[in-house]
Amino acid sequence: MKPHGTEVHRALEAATGEAIGTAALADEYDIDLAVRAARKALDEGPWGRTTPTERAAVMRRFAAALTARASEASTLVSRENGMPIGLSEAFNGGAPAGLLEMYAAMVDGTDIESVRPAALGATIVRREPVGVVAAITPWNYPLALAMSKIAPALAMGCTVVLKPSPDTALDSYILADAADEAGLPAGVLNIVLAGRETGAALVSHPGVDKVAFTGSTAAGRIIGAECGRLIRRCTLELGGKSASIFLEDGDIDVFRAGLASSAFQNNSQTCATQARILAPRSRYDEVVDAVATYAAELVVGNPLDPAVTCGPMASERHLERVLGYIEAGRTSDARLVTGGGRPSSAGDRGWYVEPTVFADVDNKNVIAREEIFGPVIAVMPYDGEDDAIANDSNYGLAGSVWTADEDRGIEIARRVRTGTFGVNYYSTDLMAPFGGMKDSGIGREFGPEALENYTEYKSVYVSADRLPN
Ligand code: NAD
């Protein structure tokens, strides 16, 4: 439907900077319409009265419609945000349909009520939908992150207003088409493309029951504060500055092979990027050399070329931000080992940056403390393992340890305060809870645990006659 808002967003291709489409942006009036539609579908419409099995059937049709568009969606997102095409096929092509299938299977055939004995009779415990969900997502894995909220929300019987980032505006049209083809009832999924000011109106709209936010810690603080004021449920999936800890007995080849996903996945535009690499002094030079040669050998170029392992940054603004951090590193005491600017081959088209490695970085340095969200890695020596494990960072999203002794690795995993942690590899498992400690957020997405985000419990006290025989 045509929005009331008159602002038009020009979508630019990350690899060329050229226009690839336009998207009409919503204004506060459109947000209000979307929330009202979601409210109506929940309170009056069919969705609020569906059984989990009926919802699972709709979700499976939605998954099939997305699968039919998987190739189109993955190509488009690669053009929008620079994600290498193979990765985009997994996260924007396969994952959204996979998540719908997964949550449909979890609720299909389940009962929303259970009865348990109580002191004076029995209690019926009901799992009810949390209500209208405002889902606010970033540009780095747009369709997978949208679906990490939509799929468990629909499974629990919620309705959704999705506000994607304008930096990846165009792929949401594919999502909307698929939902339409699958026959989602009107008002169940509403997509409003808007910037942060209009997004703020969604967060505080009186018709919203829960905010599911993924994005920066700075925005998360504002959104969390508003939700606190309104006593509105919220989950916050925020930024990170995670560390890989290489131990004395680590296998350098295993570590090197793991860098693709631990440090450089999606041109390091990944919240779980381990942009701090901690190595013992006895192995320090070897680790610096492994990271630097790996970074220098990454193939920087157009993300649609399957041979490319590092695409451009998602926007010119983001490129400037990443280059600003590189400059901060260059003017500090840190030692630039490889990279350090724009690749000469890039010319002036596309938002490319050289994969960059700094060694001897002081942990107080801004490039060790702040999330850069681009291929800029800091390698730091440590003296005692306890220092490395203490993980002196405001964030607590991800991390990994590299050791010949997996038992020791698991022991370290138990001690580090992060939401996810890898032993000799790092790979997000969509079947398990994912999220952050400390400044990396509140709550977990993915896995069966995510259903809790969209559930309200109600206890109904009744007579003992209700107890099953
Ligand atoms: P961002 O915070 O700038 O924006 C994220 C989304 O929130 C966008 O849709 C934006 O328009 C909206 N927004 C921003 N301020 C808002 C406000 N006050 N009210 C309502 N909406 C608002 O983040 P970004 O640059 O799009 O994404 C990168 C960030 O996302 C990084 O910090 C990254 O670590 C984080 N991220 C976290 C996870 C996770 O699971 N923890 C996953 C992916 C990305």
Side-chain angles (χ1 to χ4, degrees):
M1 144 183 182
K2 203 170 172 302
H4 175 266
T6 52
E7 204 185 325
V8 174
H9 171 77
R10 252 176 99 237
L12 305 179
E13 179 158 16
T16 61
E18 285 167 9
I20 51 171
T22 56
L25 295 184
D27 62 12
E28 286 193 31
Y29 182 85
D30 298 305
I31 295 279
D32 185 51
L33 283 186
V35 175
R36 281 174 194 277
R39 196 76 261 162
K40 190 165 176 229
L42 184 78
D43 297 342
E44 299 167 30
W47 200 248
R49 289 191 284 272
T50 50
T51 64
T53 301
E54 287 165 343
R55 294 195 292 272
V58 175
M59 291 169 70
R60 289 185 176 121
R61 291 204 303 272
F62 193 4
L66 281 170
T67 301
R69 292 161 174 80
S71 168
E72 187 194 353
S74 33
T75 304
L76 182 56
V77 174
S78 285
R79 295 181 74 193
E80 291 177 310
N81 74 1
M83 181 183 286
I85 187 68
L87 190 70
S88 193
E89 281 163 359
F91 278 94
N92 301 298
L99 287 165
L100 280 165
E101 296 274 3
M102 180 173 96
Y103 286 104
M106 280 179 205
V107 296
D108 196 355
T110 59
D111 205 332
I112 61 161
E113 293 187 351
S114 61
V115 191
R116 60 181 75 162
L120 297 181
T123 302
I124 301 172
V125 177
R126 285 177 53 76
R127 290 183 297 128
E128 298 189 349
V130 77
V132 171
V133 174
I136 300 178
T137 48
W139 47 260
N140 63 334
Y141 290 79
L143 290 176
L145 292 175
M147 202 50 83
S148 72
K149 299 162 173 54
I150 295 168
L154 295 186
M156 286 312 303
C158 299
T159 56
V160 179
V161 179
L162 171 70
K163 192 211 82 61
S165 167
D167 285 334
T168 43
L170 302 182
D171 56 89
S172 23
Y173 287 89
I174 297 178
L175 194 62
D177 276 351
D180 207 29
E181 185 185 289
L184 259 75
V188 172
L189 174 62
N190 310 271
I191 304 178
V192 280
L193 278 167
R196 56 185 57 195
E197 290 78 19
T198 312
L202 174 60
V203 170
S204 53
H205 193 290
V208 166
D209 297 298
K210 186 221 153 69
V211 178
F213 174 73
T214 300
S216 61
T217 295
R221 278 188 211 287
I222 297 168
I223 290 169
E226 181 64 0
C227 289
R229 189 180 73 79
L230 295 166
I231 322 281
R232 184 158 293 176
R233 283 124 192 82
C234 76
T235 36
L236 303 173
E237 296 279 347
L238 310 179
K241 187 73 184 184
S242 301
S244 282
I245 307 172
F246 190 87
L247 299 190
E248 296 268 1
D249 66 352
D251 182 326
I252 200 75
D253 293 329
V254 172
F255 168 72
R256 196 174 192 284
L259 285 169
S261 58
S262 69
F264 293 105
Q265 181 166 303
N266 193 20
N267 327 325
S268 309
Q269 298 179 132
T270 298
C271 54
T273 293
Q274 288 141 51
R276 291 182 302 132
I277 294 175
L278 314 182
R281 290 201 190 270
S282 60
R283 307 282 307 272
Y284 185 64
D285 291 344
E286 202 186 336
V287 171
V288 171
D289 185 57
V291 184
T293 52
Y294 187 91
E297 284 166 15
L298 285 168
V299 182
V300 179
N302 191 314
L304 295 179
D305 176 349
V308 161
T309 46
C310 187
M313 300 292 93
S315 65
E316 188 169 17
R317 180 173 32 88
H318 186 50
L319 169 69
E320 292 305 328
R321 190 172 170 273
V322 173
L323 291 173
Y325 279 111
I326 292 178
E327 194 49 31
R330 293 185 83 127
T331 51
S332 73
D333 293 337
R335 173 164 57 95
L336 177 67
V337 194
T338 188
R342 302 259 286 139
S344 49
S345 58
D348 47 12
R349 275 161 60 87
W351 302 310
Y352 293 100
V353 62
E354 283 178 309
T356 296
V357 177
F358 287 101
D360 308 342
V361 180
D362 186 322
N363 200 42
K364 293 193 179 59
N365 190 316
V366 68
I367 62 167
R369 298 219 72 86
E370 293 184 11
E371 182 182 49
I372 299 175
F373 224 53
V376 182
I377 307 295
V379 192
M380 294 174 275
Y382 66 82
D383 290 309
E385 232 165 77
D386 283 348
D387 285 347
I389 295 165
N391 192 22
D392 176 12
S393 168
N394 296 340
Y395 293 105
L397 189 59
S400 61
V401 64
W402 306 81
T403 171
D405 181 348
E406 191 177 60
D407 286 341
R408 194 161 155 237
I410 294 171
E411 207 39 60
I412 287 173
R414 292 186 176 121
R415 291 171 62 194
V416 180
R417 287 204 68 214
T418 66
T420 59
F421 201 80
V423 181
N424 291 323
Y425 75 97
Y426 185 88
S427 174
T428 307
D429 174 7
L430 303 189
M431 299 285 287
F434 180 94
M437 298 188 187
K438 305 195 271 182
D439 287 1
S440 291
I442 297 175
R444 296 290 179 270
E445 290 191 332
F446 299 112
E449 288 76 5
L451 290 172
E452 291 292 317
N453 298 334
Y454 302 99
T455 307
E456 283 284 20
Y457 288 96
K458 181 186 284 174
S459 295
V460 184
Y461 311 129
V462 292
S463 73
D465 299 349
R466 299 284 159 177
L467 286 170
N469 295 319

